[in-house]
Amino acid sequence: MLKSPPAVKKNILGQKDFLAISDFSSDQIIDLLELAKKIKAQKNLGEQYLPLKGKTLGMIFEKSSTRTRVSFEVGMLQLGGNALFLSSNDLQIGRGETIADTARVLSEYLDGIMIRTFSHDRVEELSKYATIPVINGLTDLAHPCQALADLMTISELKGTLKGLKMAYIGDGNNMAHSLMSASAKVGMHFSIACPKEYKPNQACITSARLEAENNGAEILVTEDAVEAVKNADIVYSDVWTSMGQEKENEVRLEKFKDFQINEALIQHAKEDFLFMHCLPAHRGEEVTAEVIDGPNSVIFHQAGNRLHAQKAILVDLL
């Protein structure tokens, strides 16, 4: 049984929490990816690695989940720890207890908290009052765990990150924000095509552009899907209507109809491009079945890396 991965830096993140990719330096992101790869390699070799024996992660869900819940729960178990599923419907925060009081109470019981919720302010408040690590499992502003797993997947399949081009087609949402920031951190060009009224948060664009400039990359925001996809190494999509936006679905279907990733659009990408999607996908809406099931699609490899990327986060923080 191995007690720790070989030649791995400790305390990579250098802070208590993992809330957003933008909180960390390029070197920290790269080091975290290396840790994730080492943990994955040990798992694939059948070697046990149990650094979190006796540790417990509380997982608060105010949004439903498949990948986030299963990957964090399995990740803790494989690292020797335990995970508790905490639905907001079962907690007192669902009946009016403040985030601050919840944070203080859970800090007495747990070694870490992962929360998947709507407002990013709730995660930041939880972080402020908790004395234990807090991990952002998703908010309406950011999805840093998914972005880290995506970088890991690209690095594994392309052998590099710097200088590649990612084209994101669709809503300027939490996924777009985190991917834009992640790309900028590692020197990867990022382009997003979306309707003008669905562009990413301007503060996120400004911050990513400054980071990208420092790392020799460019950030492009356009309403032209062909321009965004031209010569792309990665073509990425997400649903047009996220959780909490269901009432907007018909409007969004009309607004995004020219932003579908299909056989015609991917002709403008590089021949060996990777198609990525954070899942779940609405086949026939943001992407056609021919693309998502095609030879360039790596969506399940990508989903699998959620486990390993998050195990790296857990090991470093806990």
Side-chain angles (χ1 to χ4, degrees), residues 271-289:
E271 185 175 354
D272 63 346
F273 81 95
L274 305 178
F275 173 73
M276 303 181 75
H277 194 300
C278 54
L279 300 178
H282 292 167
R283 293 163 180 259
E285 290 185 12
E286 72 271 10
V287 59
T288 62

Side-chain angles (χ1 to χ4, degrees), residues 45-179:
L45 290 172
E47 297 173 342
Q48 283 190 311
Y49 174 50
L50 308 174
L52 300 188
K53 189 174 182 179
K55 303 282 188 179
T56 302
L57 177 75
M59 308 185 301
I60 301 174
F61 286 89
E62 296 184 323
K63 280 188 173 184
S64 58
S65 167
T66 297
R67 282 149 291 276
T68 299
R69 178 180 177 179
V70 176
S71 56
F72 267 109
E73 191 163 339
V74 171
M76 280 299 293
L77 293 173
Q78 290 182 355
L79 293 169
N82 299 287
L84 297 177
F85 173 77
L86 304 171
S87 167
S88 61
N89 294 327
D90 300 326
L91 296 174
Q92 294 297 336
I93 55 173
R95 299 178 61 245
E97 183 172 51
T98 67
I99 287 286
D101 287 352
T102 299
R104 291 184 176 108
V105 169
L106 292 181
S107 295
E108 296 292 324
Y109 304 141
L110 303 169
D111 299 288
I113 301 169
M114 186 285 298
I115 181 169
R116 181 178 170 92
T117 187
F118 292 89
S119 170
H120 196 77
D121 291 342
R122 289 175 73 77
V123 174
E124 292 183 334
E125 186 176 4
L126 189 69
S127 167
K128 178 180 178 181
Y129 290 99
T131 58
I132 56 177
V134 173
I135 299 170
N136 177 7
L138 175 141
T139 67
D140 288 343
L141 182 69
H143 198 353
C145 293
Q146 179 69 58
L148 187 70
D150 294 340
L151 290 182
M152 181 179 178
T153 303
I154 296 166
S155 177
E156 287 178 332
L157 297 177
K158 290 293 187 181
T160 188
L161 292 169
K162 191 174 182 63
L164 297 179
K165 177 183 176 180
M166 174 183 286
Y168 178 98
I169 312 299
D171 190 18
N173 59 12
N174 49 7
M175 203 63 254
H177 296 151
S178 291
L179 288 171

